[in-house]
Amino acid sequence: MSSTYAIAIRDFTKRYGSFEAVSNLTLEVEPGSICGLLGPNGSGKTTTFKCLLNLARPTSGTMQVEGAPVQPATFEELAYVPERSALYEWLTLADHLEFNRRSYRKYDAKRADELVNLFRLERKKKVGKLSKGQQTAVALILAFSIQPRILVLDEPASGLDPVFQRVVLDLIIEAAAGGATILFSSHQIGQVERAADRVAILKNGKLIVDGTVDSLKGSEKVVEAIFDQAVPEVDGLTSDARIRRVERSGRILRAYVKEDSDGIARRLSEYSPKNVAVMDLNLEDIFINAVGGETALPQGDR
Amino acid sequence: MAAIFTVDPRSGVPLYLQLIEQVKRAVALGTLGPGEQLPTVKALALDLTINPNTVARAYRDLEHDGVIDTSPGRGSFVRMDGSVGESRRAVDDVARSVLGDAVREAKTLGLARKRAAEIFGEQLDRWFPAGEKE
Amino acid sequence: MYYIELLRLRRSFIIYGGILGSLFLLSMITTHWPGAIVNKGDSGTIPLSVLLSIVGFCAIIFATAIGTSLNRENDGVEMVWTKPIARERLALMYIALDLVAIIVAFLVPLALAILIFASFGLTKVIQPDDKWISALILTFGIAFMWYGLLQGLTSWQSGRGGIMVAISWAAAAVVMPVLMAATARSPGLHEVIMVLNLLNPLAYLSSSAHVQIGVDTGAPTLIPHDVWARVAMTWGFGILGSLAAIVGWKRLEV
């Protein structure tokens, strides 16, 4: 445990007029760790990044990097890859690299070259003519080539095919192995599951899940009870704070719990099921349970 | 080194625990010999495409359990002494858990104990053909 | 850290140089064509202030072309705002670079014009008069004023600044003179138009030289006749506009 978090967001709220994009978000990222930020589109991830980096102003709350609000000097050690391309479409990759070389003390030209070859990019082509995935690759090269201590990446795999998505993940892991701190958002939950120490899930601007991947998997489980006949009415199941979601189908009852799965299992046992089992969930399941709800396909006539 | 360890990130079991089990299994089976060097944290993390802190934690716990020794600057090595015993115990634990799950599953399917034992015997014959030791 | 602006200016200069170069070549070819009649002899002199004002007009056009340099960063401004430099410092660097570019944009057509005269051995026709210094400073002032107004109006907007440039030209060259003339007989309305006209860079041009540029309808105007007062006002507006641009850009949220 270190005394200063690499990134400390405390009680952060951002309002646009009457619309609250993010509400009371607290997120702390340890130095040298990888934190994955998940959430549906519009849940406030990009807004959070923008306010963290001083691109927008928080309505309330504090955002700190290495113990202080972000200042120009912070960007010698912090690299940002935005969701939407911020590149100059009329310039070439070579121009962008030269811009980096002149702007940062720690720019590593050799590293940049390695990455350009790795992503198989042409240096003399105007960036505007590159595909979305290639533009993402350019932004990543610009970020990683300055050897930053902190990386803030908004959808870093956007537009990339699976091979290059793995490359991006490797870059993140390599940077973390070198002591860098990474905060990234992704829709690729499998990536986050492999690489992240911590996961935070946002929904409608609120933090609904926050913990290490291991502890989440330890507490977020599904308790499945199979009954002899139709599932009985179980009192107060949906109002139980430990339960995220309940599924009933024929003789099976499934309760997706966020904690105390054993307690829930005991409760269900009181209704004399044929079998009660506690099963693990992967991160994708955890995410969908936490966030989902209104997105199930219509069933037609039941 | 690449083929020795595999982990399943989608499993409900934490990755560091999976890794610890993998190492103990390798030591118990002799795939990793006494004194042999393990991959560096960075190399293994990249190889498995998992978080380096996960690897570091697994290595720390393995050292705590007496399976490996880590010296800064030189790397992590399988201990020369006693680690095989600990690893064998760990493998036993895994086997107990896997077989326990199988028996519970059989019970859920409604098998009587006698029938379950019969089928289990069939499987033993299948996988341990007569004459094969261990 | 201002590398991008350097590249942008380079691109602008290539276009600017191309246009001027073509005009230059065209002039040289048509006037040196065998059989072309060029009146070299007796028409007297061209005051330096007039030449400088005409050449300065090219610089004014160039100044408006680059006057949206901050606005052009705003689509994807994360790129420069996540660099280790304070926003106001970067904006100041951009503006300083642009001003140097405007000076260069003045010198190039001046050199070409002199070359044309020189090709006929007529450089002595250009006579320095007592107005040439004030004309020079005023022309730069007008360029800077227009630049400053454009920056001030567009730096905090995320839209395409090019439209503002076109609108400003339409307003300065056409709309304002028409309104000035049209309201000449309606005192109340005319006052309002006169005040607005103070923001019209082109209005400061007339009688900066012997040459009348723009429609001089004889209508009353608030723009001072004294050339040094015009210098003060144009440079003042340029500075104010630039300052407003820097502040507006700094406070922008993405």
Side-chain angles (χ1 to χ4, degrees), chain A residues 106-175:
Chain A
K106 281 167 52 182
Y107 174 70
D108 184 351
K110 222 168 101 199
R111 182 81 176 119
D113 285 342
E114 281 170 13
L115 294 173
V116 170
N117 295 334
L118 184 62
F119 282 105
R120 297 206 277 271
L121 295 170
E122 287 174 57
R123 284 161 208 277
K124 294 297 182 184
K125 211 165 164 189
K126 289 200 194 221
V127 162
K129 299 232 161 53
L130 298 176
S131 71
K132 165 106 180 89
Q134 288 172 319
Q135 290 181 351
T136 304
V138 171
L140 288 165
I141 294 173
L142 292 176
F144 280 96
S145 62
I146 65 170
Q147 306 176 80
R149 268 206 304 271
I150 300 174
L151 285 148
V152 178
L153 313 171
D154 201 348
E155 309 273 347
S158 173
L160 290 170
D161 69 39
V163 172
F164 283 122
Q165 284 187 9
R166 186 52 72 94
V167 169
V168 173
L169 212 52
D170 285 341
L171 285 175
I172 292 175
I173 289 169
E174 193 174 2

Side-chain angles (χ1 to χ4, degrees), chain C:
Chain C
M1 221 82 65
Y2 47 77
Y3 182 61
I4 303 292
E5 185 59 11
L6 274 180
L7 292 179
R8 221 177 253 132
L9 288 172
R10 185 181 72 179
R11 191 172 61 162
S12 301
F13 270 122
I14 289 174
I15 299 172
Y16 185 66
I19 296 174
L20 286 180
S22 315
L23 288 173
F24 173 71
L25 279 174
L26 205 61
S27 315
M28 288 295 262
I29 290 172
T30 52
T31 53
H32 282 276
W33 202 259
I37 301 166
V38 175
N39 191 343
K40 295 190 200 187
D42 48 337
S43 53
T45 62
I46 297 175
L48 183 57
S49 63
V50 173
L51 179 64
L52 291 177
S53 298
I54 295 175
V55 166
F57 205 73
C58 299
I60 292 173
I61 295 174
F62 184 81
T64 63
I66 64 171
T68 55
S69 55
L70 287 176
N71 167 273
R72 294 214 221 168
E73 291 290 349
N74 291 349
D75 185 21
V77 76
E78 296 92 336
M79 180 67 90
V80 285
W81 281 0
T82 54
K83 291 277 180 297
I85 181 171
R87 282 181 212 178
E88 51 272 28
R89 191 147 163 252
L90 186 63
L92 206 54
M93 284 183 178
Y94 271 42
I95 292 175
L97 260 171
D98 288 345
L99 293 183
V100 169
I102 293 174
I103 294 175
V104 172
F106 171 80
L107 293 173
V108 169
L110 182 64
L112 291 179
I114 292 176
L115 268 176
I116 294 181
F117 279 101
S119 71
F120 295 104
L122 280 178
T123 43
K124 59 183 185 323
V125 166
I126 307 168
Q127 291 290 333
D129 56 333
D130 56 350
K131 283 194 198 180
W132 74 268
I133 294 179
S134 58
L136 182 65
I137 299 177
L138 179 61
T139 312
F140 272 116
I142 292 168
F144 183 36
M145 170 180 173
W146 208 331
Y147 172 85
L149 287 173
L150 277 173
Q151 283 284 29
L153 283 170
T154 62
S155 76
W156 45 272
Q157 292 188 29
S158 51
R160 299 295 305 269
I163 298 177
M164 280 309 296
V165 176
I167 291 177
S168 71
W169 270 98
V174 177
V175 174
M176 287 312 293
V178 165
L179 283 177
M180 283 287 274
T183 58
R185 301 231 172 76
S186 338
L189 208 49
H190 196 68
E191 307 256 301
V192 174
I193 300 296
M194 281 201 290
V195 169
L196 279 179
N197 205 34
L198 283 174
L199 289 175
N200 179 0
L202 286 179
Y204 292 78
L205 260 181
S206 51
S207 66
S208 72
H210 289 292
V211 178
Q212 297 263 355
I213 301 173
V215 179
D216 183 10
T217 61
T221 170
L222 285 174
I223 300 199
H225 204 72
D226 174 46
V227 72
W228 292 108
R230 291 165 183 240
V231 163
M233 288 182 72
T234 52
W235 280 90
F237 276 122
I239 291 172
L240 276 175
S242 302
L243 282 175
I246 295 175
V247 169
W249 199 62
K250 180 183 164 167
R251 291 186 47 84
L252 190 58
E253 276 189 44
V254 183

